[in-house]
Amino acid sequence: MEKLTGPKKIKTAVFISGTGSNLKNIIKFSKIKKSPISISLIISNTSQAKGLRFADQFKIKKKIFNFKNFKDTEMNILLLLKKEKIRFICLAGFMKILSKEFIEKFDGKIINIHPSLLPKYKGLNTHNRAIKNKDKLTGCTVHYVTATLDSGKIILQKKIKITVNDNSNTLAKKVLAQEHKLYPAAIMKIFN
């Protein structure tokens, strides 16, 4: 008797540069039955990325690229994505900006999570900027990646209050906790 399997999951790559807390969260999410994705590849621009340990822990293929020659590196990443049949990319604390050519050549979807309520505070130091401007709210945004930094179509956002006691560290922790909920929710929204 033929074994019934659920719908085929979308082969996904996660790009990281740091601790990989969003990566770990996305991997755990990918393991649940209703998740539309499976993580097949982890790419980093640095061998120092602590998040690479999750590749070993969850037995996922990993590859480190140094971006000394940006164009060649992007070409090599695209070849690897094609070879691995990757259809979807999640950027999770990836500290390199992908070129317009890369984004156009990759034949799937690329999404990113950003620690602010876009279009406010694109780029870095989002928490410091929100506090300095005495904002009452901040949060995080999952958006499609385009050639313009942090400017793609917004998929989902989550707002959180900034309290008088918050500093950039406490705010970063509160926002990260929300990122861990928002990223899987955004992926579900895309594929459902």
Side-chain angles (χ1 to χ4, degrees):
M1 200 167 106
E2 199 178 324
K3 196 176 145 208
L4 291 171
T5 53
K8 221 164 144 47
K9 293 192 176 200
I10 294 135
K11 291 186 86 169
T12 300
V14 183
F15 288 31
I16 64 164
S17 298
T19 58
S21 74
N22 267 309
L23 165 66
K24 182 183 182 189
N25 188 54
I26 296 167
I27 293 169
K28 285 183 166 174
F29 164 70
S30 75
K31 304 266 182 220
I32 64 172
K33 203 173 173 173
K34 66 175 186 175
S35 170
I37 63 166
S38 69
I39 310 301
S40 306
L41 182 63
I42 296 164
I43 287 178
S44 180
N45 62 307
T46 169
S47 59
Q48 304 305 304
K50 288 191 177 84
L52 288 168
R53 71 183 188 272
F54 298 121
D56 303 327
Q57 191 181 327
F58 292 98
K59 296 177 179 44
I60 299 168
K61 189 173 190 168
K62 68 180 174 191
K63 189 93 168 97
I64 297 147
F65 288 92
N66 83 38
F67 275 76
K68 281 195 180 96
N69 182 327
F70 212 90
K71 224 180 169 82
D72 287 355
T73 301
E74 285 196 333
M75 249 2 268
N76 290 330
I77 293 173
L78 283 167
L79 288 169
L80 179 63
L81 294 173
K82 195 178 176 107
K83 186 179 154 224
E84 297 294 327
K85 297 181 173 57
I86 300 295
R87 306 289 312 129
F88 187 59
I89 296 173
C90 296
L91 304 181
F94 185 62
M95 300 311 281
K96 290 281 178 202
I97 296 167
L98 298 168
S99 72
K100 180 173 181 263
E101 291 73 31
F102 180 95
I103 295 162
E104 285 170 359
K105 279 194 177 94
F106 178 68
D107 198 21
K109 291 184 173 85
I110 307 175
I111 65 171
N112 182 42
I113 191 149
H114 185 75
S116 79
L117 295 171
L118 291 173
K120 251 185 162 177
Y121 309 126
K122 296 173 182 177
L124 301 173
N125 303 319
T126 56
H127 307 307
N128 281 334
R129 288 151 70 195
I131 290 167
K132 207 170 124 191
N133 290 331
K134 296 180 174 40
D135 290 359
K136 298 273 183 267
L137 291 171
T138 188
C140 47
T141 305
V142 177
H143 64 94
Y144 287 106
V145 173
T146 62
T148 312
L149 180 69
D150 297 330
S151 297
K153 185 173 171 253
I154 290 169
I155 301 158
L156 278 183
Q157 287 186 315
K158 177 79 175 137
K159 291 181 180 144
I160 62 162
K161 283 190 175 84
I162 301 175
T163 67
V164 288
N165 300 325
D166 274 320
N167 60 41
S168 62
N169 288 339
T170 60
L171 209 50
K173 282 191 181 99
K174 290 199 307 198
V175 170
L176 190 62
Q178 294 309 316
E179 287 181 25
H180 291 167
K181 294 175 188 162
L182 194 67
Y183 221 143
I187 293 167
M188 288 301 285
K189 184 179 175 188
I190 291 167
F191 293 108
N192 284 332

